[in-house]
Amino acid sequence: QVQLVESGGGLVQPGGSLTLSCAASGSIFGINDMGWYRQAPGKQRELVAAITSGGSTNYADSVKGRFTISRDNAKNTVYLQMNSLKPEDTAVYYCYLHVLFGGYDYWGQGTQVTVSS
């Protein structure tokens, strides 16, 4: 019903920047939150950033001040601007869309972000 397609991942040097995007398509109804999780090898999934339909944001402490989440509701797209990247940011990043009041969650396919010199 809903498909999330991610793009923007890749290899970047420490201190560099990347911007991820996640475009949702399909039958999207109701109020929804969108955001990003990441999972590094050997580690649990971590919520990186979230944004509500109204634009309220939350960030993991580890990325505050470096990452910025935004969304374009008209395009059903969420973005994650990542600056001052660190090797610790290396992970597969998954975007999600959470439908409020319905308990539905949709996930992107994941995009690899590798921060390495």
Side-chain angles (χ1 to χ4, degrees):
Q1 293 294 325
V2 176
Q3 183 179 13
L4 304 181
V5 179
E6 302 179 31
S7 62
L11 174 65
V12 65
Q13 293 185 331
S17 299
L18 283 175
T19 299
L20 307 181
S21 64
C22 174
S25 63
S27 299
I28 304 173
F29 301 100
I31 301 172
N32 60 80
D33 297 337
M34 299 184 75
W36 299 87
Y37 281 85
R38 68 185 181 187
Q39 188 163 25
K43 297 183 178 180
Q44 292 186 324
R45 184 187 63 179
E46 174 189 27
L47 178 63
V48 178
I51 185 167
T52 70
S53 62
S56 298
T57 59
N58 286 291
Y59 298 93
D61 289 340
S62 59
V63 307
K64 285 182 179 178
R66 299 188 297 118
F67 290 11
T68 302
I69 188 170
S70 62
R71 65 187 292 167
D72 185 334
N73 289 332
K75 296 181 179 180
N76 292 317
T77 300
V78 63
Y79 305 91
L80 185 67
Q81 181 180 330
M82 304 182 293
N83 299 323
S84 301
L85 283 161
K86 304 175 180 179
E88 304 91 87
D89 296 317
T90 297
V92 177
Y93 285 70
Y94 299 91
C95 67
Y96 72 89
L97 184 152
H98 173 68
V99 180
L100 275 66
F101 311 119
Y104 294 99
D105 293 289
Y106 302 94
W107 295 88
Q109 80 279 12
T111 185
Q112 177 70 47
V113 173
T114 302
V115 184
S116 177
S117 60

